[in-house]
Amino acid sequence: MKVTASAPGKAILFGEHAVVYGKPAIAMAVNRRAIVTIQEGTNDQINVQIPELDVYGAIDLTDHQIKPLKTSPSQTKFSDTSSTSDNPASPSSIYDMGILKFIRNAIFNDQFQPDHGLDVQVELEIPIGAGLGSSAAITVATLAASASYHQEDLTLEKLAKMAHHVELDVQGAASPLDTTISTHGGFIYFTRKDGAVKINPALEMPLVVGYTSQPGNTGQLVAGVRKLHDDHPEIINPILDTIEKIANQARQAITNGDQQKVAELMNINQGLLDALGVNTNQLSNLVYQARSAGAIGSKLTGAGGGGSIIAYCPGKTQEVLERLKHVENAFQVNISPQGVTWE
Ligand code: MEV
């Protein structure tokens, strides 16, 4: 038997980090996906291949230990030195190898598990560590493919919940935002309390993503904001409250079609993310380059500390794309109405 599932990455427009404290965030699923194929194994291990990252690993069926089989960091598209791995092959491959933990925990979940070897192939259209929800997309797609392989019926709600638990187990702190958007797709307003509510934008959202070659580590960045919050609650709490107001006003602006207001709120949100300590030199450079090339709003997206920015550029998409490509890496993103799919 051979099954395939795919799930989209995401871009957060407003409210990252504040969402961990119960504040709202606005995010959209993007038209770049993780595609996971599972079939009966060629041996009695779980053999994982992610050719885009040059990551190959084997997971033991009994003790679930991960063994890197081969990495060539020099050929790796999106490699770095941060994050962790069960068995690091070399410092520069550690980040990429860490992705295997999401796959391992999705396959050996607490609902269904394989009793024989599997071959797992991941095709990745999303750069990892770029704040674009690659780990959530891989986790959601792996769980969906796994459920399909084991002929388990999973509701989207159950799938999103299981995917969030995988993210929590692997990276410590995380809100269910990434796994929710990857599961359901579309454009959403999200709070931890009420989950996802779909938004119907009354404006075009021409967005360009610029991403740095330095991945951010979500777990570490969330922990850094937590420390700042605990050390300076009287200062950080009002910042989080202001981000909440920004997200609420942005929701209205998006549904009312108020382009200028959306852009201004993005720029203010960027300043506050800087205050939370998750901005970097490279991200700032991309943010200002985008604005000088014609973006009316630009900010980092996701956890920060590296990763990506999004630039809102009505009428100037090509100009912004060219400029950001010149500085770092960039691509245009569109909304993906489709969440996880499997066969
Ligand atoms: C990461 O994409 C978004 C954060 O708000 C963390 C989370 O919501 O899990 C930084």
Side-chain angles (χ1 to χ4, degrees):
M1 184 168 36
K2 183 172 173 174
V3 296
T4 298
S6 85
K10 63 94 193 28
I12 299 179
L13 277 83
F14 297 97
E16 50 273 90
H17 285 290
V19 72
V20 176
Y21 298 79
K23 310 297 186 191
I26 295 179
M28 64 184 225
V30 299
N31 56 337
R32 289 195 164 226
R33 304 178 76 85
I35 301 128
V36 175
T37 301
I38 297 182
Q39 57 193 314
E40 195 165 330
T42 39
N43 55 31
D44 59 357
Q45 307 185 98
I46 311 298
N47 305 298
V48 184
Q49 303 192 354
I50 316 176
E52 282 80 14
L53 302 177
D54 204 29
V55 163
Y56 302 87
I59 304 165
D60 190 279
L61 210 50
T62 316
D63 65 11
H64 308 168
Q65 281 291 316
I66 297 171
K67 188 168 59 168
L69 292 181
K70 175 195 149 207
T71 58
S72 325
S74 57
Q75 292 164 18
T76 302
K77 261 199 206 155
F78 317 115
S79 63
D80 186 56
T81 54
S82 48
S83 196
T84 55
S85 159
D86 280 352
N87 188 0
S90 73
S92 54
S93 69
I94 287 172
Y95 193 91
D96 294 354
M97 293 307 296
I99 281 290
L100 293 175
K101 288 187 186 177
F102 293 91
I103 294 169
R104 188 247 331 257
N105 287 23
I107 285 179
F108 294 100
N109 64 72
D110 54 13
Q111 301 289 314
F112 43 87
Q113 303 207 346
D115 58 5
H116 57 265
L118 298 174
D119 287 352
V120 180
Q121 172 94 17
V122 181
E123 192 189 321
L124 197 54
E125 300 171 348
I126 315 159
I128 67 164
L132 299 173
S134 57
S135 61
I138 290 174
T139 303
V140 168
T142 306
L143 272 167
S146 205
S148 173
Y149 186 86
H150 295 291
Q151 294 171 344
E152 292 278 341
D153 258 346
L154 273 190
T155 62
L156 291 184
E157 284 66 32
K158 176 85 181 158
L159 177 58
K161 204 173 261 179
M162 288 172 74
H164 176 51
H165 281 160
V166 169
E167 290 232 303
L168 270 185
D169 284 346
V170 174
Q171 69 186 20
S175 79
L177 172 62
D178 288 15
T179 39
T180 299
I181 187 95
S182 187
T183 304
H184 294 282
F187 209 124
I188 63 160
Y189 174 90
F190 176 91
T191 54
R192 282 189 102 139
K193 188 162 152 275
D194 298 328
V197 178
K198 290 238 175 182
I199 300 181
N200 288 323
L203 35 70
E204 295 278 297
M205 289 301 293
L207 291 175
V208 171
V209 166
Y211 66 97
T212 68
S213 44
Q214 178 194 17
N217 181 315
T218 301
Q220 280 173 13
L221 287 149
V222 169
V225 174
R226 171 67 63 192
K227 178 162 185 342
L228 207 61
H229 170 268
D230 293 349
D231 289 349
H232 309 280
E234 287 176 11
I235 292 166
I236 300 300
N237 279 325
I239 293 177
L240 299 174
D241 291 343
T242 305
I243 295 177
E244 173 174 26
K245 289 182 188 127
I246 290 172
N248 285 329
Q249 291 195 17
R251 179 184 185 174
Q252 276 182 347
I254 290 167
T255 48
N256 293 340
D258 188 341
Q259 255 181 14
Q260 199 55 38
K261 188 161 184 189
V262 170
E264 281 166 14
L265 292 169
M266 284 174 79
N267 294 338
I268 300 169
N269 199 162
Q270 166 65 11
L272 296 175
L273 285 163
D274 197 354
L276 293 180
V278 299
N279 195 17
T280 67
N281 244 334
Q282 276 175 304
L283 289 171
S284 268
N285 185 30
L286 286 171
V287 161
Y288 286 110
Q289 292 279 357
R291 289 182 199 169
S292 77
I296 55 174
S298 59
K299 62 181 275 295
L300 70 84
T301 182
S308 303
I309 69 139
I310 39 164
Y312 178 40
C313 27
K316 295 280 183 193
T317 307
Q318 276 315 312
E319 290 86 339
V320 174
L321 187 61
E322 287 311 314
R323 176 74 69 86
L324 296 188
K325 270 187 179 166
H326 190 68
V327 182
E328 293 261 3
N329 313 294
F331 51 83
Q332 203 188 332
V333 286
N334 295 317
I335 186 166
S336 164
Q338 189 106 65
V340 64
T341 59
W342 68 87
E343 52 187 55

